[in-house]
Amino acid sequence: MPATNTPTALRLNGAVLLQQLRDLGEIGIDPVAGGRTRVALTDAEKAGRDRLVVWMRELDLDVQIDRIGNIFGTLASAEKDASGEMLRPLMMGSHIDTVVNAGALDGCYGVLGGLAIVQAFREAGLVPSRPITVAAFTNEEGARFHPDMMGSLVHAGGLPLDEALDAIGTDGARLGDELVRIGYDGEMIPGTLVPHEYLELHIEQGPILEAEGLEIGVVENLQGISWQQITVQGNANHAGTTPTRLRHDAGYVAAAAVAELRRIALDSGTTLATVGTLQVEPGVINVIARKAVFTVDMRDPSEQRLAASEARFSAFLTTIAQDEGVRISTERLARFSPVVFDAALADVIEASASRLGLSSRRMTSGAGHDAQMIARIAPAAMIFVPSRGGISHNPREHTDDEQLVNGARVLLDVVAQRLGAPR
Amino acid sequence: MPATNTPTALRLNGAVLLQQLRDLGEIGIDPVAGGRTRVALTDAEKAGRDRLVVWMRELDLDVQIDRIGNIFGTLASAEKDASGEMLRPLMMGSHIDTVVNAGALDGCYGVLGGLAIVQAFREAGLVPSRPITVAAFTNEEGARFHPDMMGSLVHAGGLPLDEALDAIGTDGARLGDELVRIGYDGEMIPGTLVPHEYLELHIEQGPILEAEGLEIGVVENLQGISWQQITVQGNANHAGTTPTRLRHDAGYVAAAAVAELRRIALDSGTTLATVGTLQVEPGVINVIARKAVFTVDMRDPSEQRLAASEARFSAFLTTIAQDEGVRISTERLARFSPVVFDAALADVIEASASRLGLSSRRMTSGAGHDAQMIARIAPAAMIFVPSRGGISHNPREHTDDEQLVNGARVLLDVVAQRLGAPR
């Protein structure tokens, strides 16, 4: 065993954590496809919430639901502030909603990892020096309701509650109605529980840690994200009779844009650009596409470089629209600036990994996470563990049990450091 | 009136032709979308067939249906061959099936134009020197059953009858069963009526005649057509966490192929290349496409240049599959070599246009037509009239009445020349 100065009484119960990950992963599972589907505020996700609340109550946590359906389980501390109020909690969390046909780890690992920390305090009979809150935020995935990371965004004051409640899902349902339907329309005003600090344990969802043979990612920042939907309006015409120079081919323009995005990514060196959806109409083999609609996902850890990549792409669209005689419209779907996590917290995470003998590297989160929202109102940082093949949002999402336990051990060590000597 | 030496007794009745185009165009019409839908062997197309047969019988034609459902209406001649058999007919025709939400002219103009020629003989009380047959070929469009141009292909011996009858439609129906259901499973063996010559009157379905302000297209050849379906198999991965160099992005590869096809078209100068269908999977904004499927429509009047363009595209796919680490498979959907129409017939068409004072040009047909199949068994050529905006396969398909009548006048003049002095 590596040397450790985590308070000796605090020991991570890896078996419980792994069992809870498996148990939660069974809820909404499709035995044929192999993945589980707990899209936000569906019956399956309600079942996941119910299970989580049972586990929180088993740990004798104070469970609170806010009006956007975020779930908070708090382990009280003995200390109060000068006016006798509860101290701001150290918060850990993530989400338990999933995309369609998901893995078992995305989000759940951060929530259940938080519970594992509480479990360690309970098993050691220790009371933390400030409260510990485990949070599960509503609709992080955005698979049914936009925007994604909604619960943490509302919690951080970045989106008005009423606007979030009025979100209409892909199935036509209103989010507020669905919260009532599943019984998670809580009473607490969002943002009531402002954390003292926030930690999120998560699978990397990317290939870097595995590729470099490392055990822990110390996430010091998070890429800015730009989502756009581009609509190209051209002219449908016969594929066999329309000379190339007379074409207004929406499909070609979309393809040229995809190719340009690759050049933008390569030239920038840091921007990632992805076209994940692309439809052409009318979609007939011998008819030039009248219309093409595609989405652009651009990310960069630097706001300046992200904005530069967006600007270059926009200029490209303007030029090609003129050259090809098509109309191009752009709809912004989401835009988040890069987030720099708390440097002190990152240092502590790195020191904890080192103390536990685990290899680590500083890294940037490529994906969006609730931590980026909470970073608006409190010091925040994240801990990553490897994702096999970088695969996520897929039944093949996998992290070895040992790696999962190691990540939680780092989290426990960090919490122990931050809460000082527990009593 | 321009000078003409069309036998003076033969006069085209433009009013009947235009009225029949309107009447047939009403069958299967959608008053909301504005187009008509008479997909092959549906109830609506049966109604169109029934109307055509009534018109043929009104002209006292001998109506024959063959086993693939081709309809032939023949005006007999007085002359027989040496053995007392009917002479091979001068055949005119096209098709009356449509794509979904089509215009009223594509195909129908060639069939009803043929009837207009017979009408002129009837009205003049003239008997032609050899039989005149008006043909409507089954399933030219291929909107429901593959391959397209099926009836003329079977007639010309290019596709076994049984194979055609066993074609399964997009709705799961078997073509042979549908022929029986609508009562057009005729008894005549396909290919029985070998034409002496074949003429097809058609709208251009392209923009050239309109752009050049010309009235008649003398179609001297028809492009070769290559249809392929390309499937790219990459890896789905997270858009935010997968470095560009580690991506196997099926969508990007498809887009690069579309861009390459544009370069192939421009470099060749004669090849046309169109990607009309393109799907990516899973089709999620923040997931790199695992799979892309798209079709390629390539055409060229030269077999050598068409093959060269195909080869260049194939080499591109091989290279990019290696570069991007994806698997690419190619399925050939259709391949027709270019067709050179009968030079003597083209000369006669050009002379007739000139004699009637109509402006014309030699041109290549970009689209496929029944004439290309019949050209396998008889001298064949086509006459084009302008298409407004080059638009076809669309309710906005349009040719001015005067232009439609002019095209039929050219056809009548050609027939009069070919059949010698009618008696």
Side-chain angles (χ1 to χ4, degrees):
Chain A
M1 286 287 289
T4 165
N5 61 356
T6 302
T8 47
L10 284 171
R11 294 201 176 277
L12 191 92
N13 191 329
V16 169
L17 171 60
L18 296 172
Q19 187 60 48
Q20 287 186 339
L21 284 167
R22 282 191 289 270
D23 288 349
L24 186 53
E26 287 295 312
I27 298 177
I29 202 159
D30 177 339
V32 177
R36 66 281 306 149
T37 300
R38 291 195 309 274
V39 171
L41 313 187
T42 57
D43 290 348
E45 201 235 355
K46 170 187 161 48
R49 287 168 172 265
D50 290 350
R51 179 71 57 90
L52 174 64
V53 168
V54 165
W55 284 331
M56 285 179 165
R57 293 202 198 286
E58 285 174 359
L59 287 167
D60 202 21
L61 302 187
D62 179 24
V63 177
Q64 294 169 288
I65 316 291
D66 72 10
R67 293 187 58 198
I68 194 64
N70 294 324
I71 302 171
F72 302 96
T74 299
L75 173 65
S77 64
E79 294 177 15
K80 306 285 181 189
D81 68 12
S83 57
E85 296 291 311
M86 188 181 99
L87 294 171
R88 290 190 171 190
L90 187 154
M91 188 179 285
M92 293 167 289
S94 194
H95 62 96
I96 65 164
D97 71 313
T98 72
V99 295
V100 173
N101 200 29
L105 301 174
D106 179 1
C108 303
Y109 178 49
V111 176
L112 300 179
L115 281 194
I117 304 315
V118 172
Q119 176 94 21
F121 276 84
R122 287 301 193 203
E123 290 183 0
L126 294 173
V127 177
S129 61
R130 67 168 61 243
I132 297 175
T133 297
V134 178
F137 294 106
T138 294
N139 185 37
E140 194 270 351
E141 294 290 4
R144 184 183 183 198
F145 297 100
H146 273 269
D148 55 352
M149 299 177 278
M150 181 191 276
S152 49
L153 182 60
V154 171
H155 183 76
L159 177 68
L161 174 65
D162 288 346
E163 203 173 303
L165 294 176
D166 284 339
I168 302 300
T170 51
D171 55 352
R174 181 177 167 274
L175 187 138
D177 298 339
E178 287 294 278
L179 273 176
V180 171
R181 188 183 69 80
I182 68 167
Y184 278 86
D185 56 323
E187 296 188 348
M188 188 165 70
I189 305 298
T192 301
L193 284 179
V194 177
H196 176 70
E197 286 172 332
Y198 179 84
L199 293 163
E200 186 164 348
L201 183 62
H202 210 283
I203 56 170
E204 181 194 343
Q205 302 181 282
I208 296 172
L209 290 176
E210 181 189 59
E212 301 185 1
L214 301 174
E215 292 161 299
I216 297 293
V218 180
V219 185
E220 57 185 357
N221 60 352
L222 188 143
Q223 295 184 113
I225 301 180
S226 163
W227 280 5
Q228 302 174 73
Q229 178 168 293
I230 315 293
T231 301
V232 183
Q233 190 73 47
N235 285 353
N237 255 319
H238 195 294
T241 57
T242 313
T244 304
R245 67 187 158 73
L246 294 183
R247 295 180 174 214
H248 309 285
D249 184 338
Y252 166 71
V253 171
V258 174
E260 172 70 8
L261 285 165
R262 169 66 72 98
R263 287 189 291 272
I264 289 173
L266 291 176
D267 290 351
S268 117
T270 55
T271 295
L272 295 178
T274 306
V275 173
T277 81
L278 172 55
Q279 290 99 32
V280 295
E281 296 177 13
V284 177
I285 186 169
N286 61 347
V287 178
I288 296 163
R290 172 182 60 234
K291 186 177 176 184
V293 181
F294 61 100
T295 53
V296 178
D297 175 316
M298 295 176 88
R299 310 198 189 201
D300 200 301
S302 152
E303 172 59 33
Q304 191 181 346
R305 289 196 302 269
L306 181 59
S309 293
E310 289 178 312
R312 176 171 159 185
F313 183 60
S314 174
F316 173 84
L317 293 180
T318 301
T319 301
I320 199 169
Q322 288 172 347
D323 292 349
E324 298 291 329
V326 299
R327 283 182 291 118
I328 301 182
S329 60
T330 300
E331 183 188 354
R332 186 172 284 298
L333 301 178
R335 181 64 163 80
F336 295 114
S337 291
V339 172
V340 177
F341 287 128
D342 186 72
L345 271 180
D347 289 346
V348 172
I349 292 168
E350 191 169 46
S352 288
S354 171
R355 186 163 40 244
L356 297 175
L358 299 170
S359 57
S360 72
R361 64 165 279 174
R362 299 286 182 133
M363 63 192 302
T364 296
S365 172
H369 294 291
D370 291 311
Q372 77 192 75
M373 300 308 171
I374 306 304
R376 299 177 177 209
I377 57 172
M382 298 187 70
I383 302 167
F384 276 177
V385 294
S387 290
R388 188 170 67 194
I391 294 167
S392 185
H393 287 186
N394 190 300
R396 291 185 292 131
E397 177 184 275
H398 176 82
T399 302
D400 290 342
D401 285 352
E402 185 186 356
Q403 295 169 326
L404 290 168
V405 172
N406 281 339
R409 288 174 63 219
V410 172
L411 178 63
L412 176 60
D413 194 75
V414 171
V415 171
Q417 304 302 320
R418 299 312 272 179
L419 297 191
R423 298 175 305 173
Chain B
M1 287 287 288
T4 164
N5 62 353
T6 301
T8 47
L10 284 172
R11 294 202 174 278
L12 191 93
N13 191 329
V16 169
L17 171 60
L18 297 172
Q19 187 59 48
Q20 287 185 338
L21 283 168
R22 282 191 289 271
D23 288 349
L24 186 53
E26 287 295 310
I27 298 177
I29 202 158
D30 178 339
V32 177
R36 68 279 308 148
T37 300
R38 291 195 309 273
V39 172
L41 314 187
T42 58
D43 290 349
E45 202 236 355
K46 170 189 162 48
R49 287 168 173 265
D50 291 349
R51 179 71 56 90
L52 174 64
V53 168
V54 165
W55 285 330
M56 285 179 165
R57 293 202 198 284
E58 286 175 358
L59 288 169
D60 203 20
L61 302 188
D62 178 24
V63 177
Q64 293 168 288
I65 315 292
D66 72 10
R67 293 187 59 197
I68 194 64
N70 295 323
I71 302 172
F72 301 96
T74 299
L75 172 65
S77 64
E79 295 177 17
K80 306 285 180 189
D81 68 11
S83 58
E85 295 291 310
M86 188 180 99
L87 294 172
R88 289 191 171 189
L90 186 154
M91 188 180 286
M92 294 168 287
S94 194
H95 61 95
I96 66 164
D97 70 314
T98 74
V99 296
V100 173
N101 200 29
L105 301 175
D106 180 0
C108 303
Y109 178 48
V111 176
L112 300 178
L115 281 194
I117 305 313
V118 173
Q119 176 95 23
F121 275 84
R122 287 301 193 204
E123 290 183 0
L126 293 174
V127 176
S129 59
R130 68 168 61 243
I132 297 175
T133 296
V134 178
F137 293 105
T138 293
N139 185 37
E140 194 271 349
E141 294 289 3
R144 184 183 182 198
F145 297 99
H146 274 268
D148 55 353
M149 300 179 277
M150 180 190 278
S152 49
L153 182 59
V154 171
H155 183 75
L159 177 69
L161 173 65
D162 287 347
E163 202 173 303
L165 294 176
D166 283 339
I168 301 298
T170 52
D171 54 353
R174 182 179 165 273
L175 186 139
D177 298 340
E178 288 293 280
L179 273 176
V180 172
R181 188 184 69 80
I182 67 167
Y184 278 86
D185 55 324
E187 295 187 350
M188 188 165 69
I189 304 298
T192 300
L193 285 178
V194 177
H196 176 70
E197 288 173 331
Y198 179 83
L199 292 164
E200 185 164 348
L201 183 62
H202 210 284
I203 57 170
E204 181 193 342
Q205 302 181 284
I208 295 172
L209 290 175
E210 181 188 59
E212 300 185 1
L214 300 175
E215 292 160 298
I216 298 294
V218 179
V219 186
E220 57 185 357
N221 60 352
L222 188 143
Q223 296 182 112
I225 301 180
S226 163
W227 280 6
Q228 300 176 76
Q229 179 168 292
I230 314 294
T231 301
V232 184
Q233 190 73 48
N235 285 352
N237 254 319
H238 195 293
T241 57
T242 314
T244 304
R245 66 186 159 75
L246 295 182
R247 295 181 175 214
H248 310 285
D249 184 338
Y252 166 70
V253 170
V258 174
E260 172 70 7
L261 285 165
R262 170 65 73 97
R263 286 188 293 271
I264 288 173
L266 291 175
D267 291 350
S268 116
T270 54
T271 295
L272 295 178
T274 306
V275 173
T277 81
L278 172 55
Q279 290 100 32
V280 295
E281 297 178 13
V284 177
I285 185 169
N286 61 347
V287 178
I288 296 163
R290 171 182 60 235
K291 186 178 176 184
V293 180
F294 61 99
T295 53
V296 178
D297 175 317
M298 294 176 88
R299 309 195 189 202
D300 200 300
S302 152
E303 171 59 33
Q304 191 181 347
R305 290 197 301 269
L306 180 59
S309 293
E310 288 178 312
R312 175 171 160 185
F313 183 60
S314 174
F316 172 83
L317 294 180
T318 301
T319 300
I320 200 168
Q322 287 171 347
D323 291 350
E324 299 292 328
V326 299
R327 283 182 292 119
I328 301 182
S329 60
T330 300
E331 182 188 354
R332 184 171 287 296
L333 301 179
R335 181 64 162 78
F336 295 115
S337 291
V339 173
V340 177
F341 287 128
D342 186 71
L345 271 181
D347 288 346
V348 172
I349 292 168
E350 191 169 46
S352 288
S354 171
R355 186 163 40 241
L356 296 175
L358 299 170
S359 56
S360 72
R361 64 165 280 173
R362 299 285 182 132
M363 64 192 302
T364 296
S365 173
H369 295 291
D370 291 310
Q372 77 192 75
M373 301 308 172
I374 305 305
R376 300 176 175 209
I377 56 171
M382 297 187 71
I383 303 167
F384 276 178
V385 295
S387 290
R388 188 168 68 194
I391 295 168
S392 185
H393 287 187
N394 190 303
R396 291 186 291 131
E397 176 185 277
H398 176 83
T399 302
D400 291 342
D401 285 352
E402 185 186 356
Q403 295 169 327
L404 291 168
V405 172
N406 281 341
R409 287 175 63 218
V410 172
L411 178 62
L412 176 60
D413 194 75
V414 171
V415 171
Q417 303 302 321
R418 299 311 270 180
L419 297 192
R423 299 177 304 175

